[in-house]
Amino acid sequence: LYAIDLKNFLVKLLETKGDIPSPRNKLCCWKNGSKMYIFGGYCNMENYENNNGLYKIVKDTFSYRLDQFENASSYGWCNELYQFDTIQHEWSLVKTDAQDLPLPRAAHSCVKIGKMIYIFGGRFQARRRNDLFRLNLQSLTWKMLKSDTEDRPDEPVGRSWHTLSPIDQDKLLLYGGLGSSGELLSDLGIEVKNRLWHCATPTSNLGEVHISGGYADTIFRSYPPLSRNILTFRFKPLPLYKLCVIKVMEQLKLYEPVIKSGGHGRLMDLLRGI
């Protein structure tokens, strides 16, 4: 586990203790106060004893590349929920209720809104799922909001390697991913390029999300192309102040004489701040 200091961008390998999770990837992660949580993932089960009660690690017998990995029989999907104390640097397994506990999965998505965590889809065995769960961080109870179903025209198709982002207090943006048949997805109803294994970053403007990185083609081909452009989805008008700043930035050369004149006032303060 690494920590990055965002002031000087120094990277540090942390010494951790406690009930340390087994090695894994394609998990989801969120922060709540001084605690960090991870859920699910594709785990290395070698030399790992799973005595975690309700949680499961199910061995992978479906992946087409299993014969290419060393100790491939030790890999599998899990549905464990771990907590990391960022102050004490200590891991612990979180005990939740059994009702509506999601099945093991990897390459799923999660998002935090208030004290609620929403988890959508991901892959478990041969199926890429389209189920939706909510975890209450105060009561540590799960609730299934939508069960996994075969693809329907009025519902998002099952997928993995997608993103889930908040665009309002009661609305989420689901974007991209790899579909049940191995197809790349872009089902927002607007003309954008397909993308998977990308990053979605909500901005300080509620309703605005930047999409960056990821693959622009299926990962099952050799050397799939990477996405180098940034997409911006905006579901609400920008604040008037932000619109003014954008307009000034577009015409910044016109304001250069004013900025260099050494004048004072609110307009000058605004221009110098830009």
Side-chain angles (χ1 to χ4, degrees):
L1 180 64
Y2 290 84
I4 302 176
D5 188 325
L6 295 181
K7 292 182 179 179
N8 51 31
F9 296 101
L10 294 178
V11 181
K12 181 180 180 181
L13 176 62
L14 300 181
E15 293 184 8
T16 64
K17 57 186 177 181
D19 192 0
I20 300 175
S22 66
R24 61 195 61 198
N25 58 26
K26 307 182 188 75
L27 62 156
C28 71
C29 174
W30 64 87
K31 180 180 179 291
N32 186 40
S34 62
K35 306 294 194 301
M36 182 185 75
Y37 295 82
I38 64 171
F39 173 77
Y42 192 64
C43 309
N44 185 338
M45 302 165 58
E46 187 179 12
N47 301 323
Y48 178 70
E49 294 183 8
N50 180 22
N51 298 314
N52 294 335
L54 298 173
Y55 296 121
K56 300 176 181 177
I57 297 183
V58 179
K59 286 187 177 182
D60 183 357
T61 58
F62 292 88
S63 293
Y64 77 104
R65 287 182 170 178
L66 277 178
D67 58 339
Q68 300 180 26
F69 290 99
E70 185 179 356
N71 301 321
S73 61
S74 297
Y75 285 83
W77 295 274
C78 75
N79 63 349
E80 297 170 322
L81 176 63
Y82 278 93
Q83 171 188 281
F84 179 72
D85 188 317
T86 60
I87 298 175
Q88 302 297 327
H89 291 185
E90 184 171 5
W91 287 100
S92 59
L93 187 69
V94 180
K95 302 296 183 182
T96 64
D97 66 325
Q99 184 177 1
D100 285 349
L101 176 66
L103 287 173
R105 63 195 60 215
H108 46 293
S109 61
C110 71
V111 66
K112 179 176 178 285
I113 297 183
K115 294 297 182 181
M116 300 293 180
I117 301 296
Y118 295 86
I119 292 177
F120 181 87
R123 180 182 171 184
F124 176 51
Q125 297 180 336
R127 168 75 181 162
R128 291 182 172 87
R129 307 175 64 83
N130 63 352
D131 47 2
L132 177 65
F133 292 85
R134 183 180 67 202
L135 172 65
N136 187 316
L137 291 176
Q138 294 179 316
S139 62
L140 293 178
T141 54
W142 292 95
K143 183 175 179 59
M144 183 173 64
L145 303 179
K146 180 196 175 303
S147 61
D148 182 52
T149 56
E150 294 299 324
D151 297 344
R152 299 174 181 175
D154 59 338
E155 295 181 349
V157 299
R159 65 190 68 199
S160 59
W161 285 324
H162 52 284
T163 51
L164 193 65
S165 308
I167 56 173
D168 208 335
Q169 294 301 318
D170 57 357
K171 291 183 177 64
L172 301 174
L173 170 67
L174 176 68
Y175 175 70
L178 190 68
S180 300
S181 302
E183 74 279 16
L184 271 72
L185 298 172
S186 174
D187 45 9
L188 284 175
I190 57 179
E191 188 65 28
V192 294
K193 293 185 177 181
N194 300 337
R195 196 174 298 207
L196 63 87
W197 214 342
H198 52 279
C199 177
T201 308
T203 73
S204 58
N205 302 308
L206 187 61
E208 185 178 67
V209 178
H210 293 321
I211 305 291
S212 59
Y215 285 108
D217 202 344
T218 176
I219 58 172
F220 299 120
R221 57 173 285 188
S222 298
Y223 306 107
L226 296 173
S227 297
R228 301 185 183 278
N229 58 324
I230 297 178
L231 303 176
T232 299
F233 297 125
R234 193 173 292 139
F235 296 87
K236 286 188 174 184
L238 290 174
L240 181 58
Y241 176 83
K242 184 68 175 289
L243 292 173
C244 292
V245 170
I246 292 174
K247 190 63 178 178
V248 170
M249 291 296 293
E250 292 174 349
Q251 306 293 330
L252 194 56
K253 285 192 174 181
L254 298 178
Y255 291 95
E256 283 184 1
V258 181
I259 295 173
K260 295 177 180 179
S261 68
H264 299 281
R266 298 184 65 181
L267 176 60
M268 294 302 302
D269 292 340
L270 172 62
L271 292 174
R272 291 195 179 98
I274 295 172

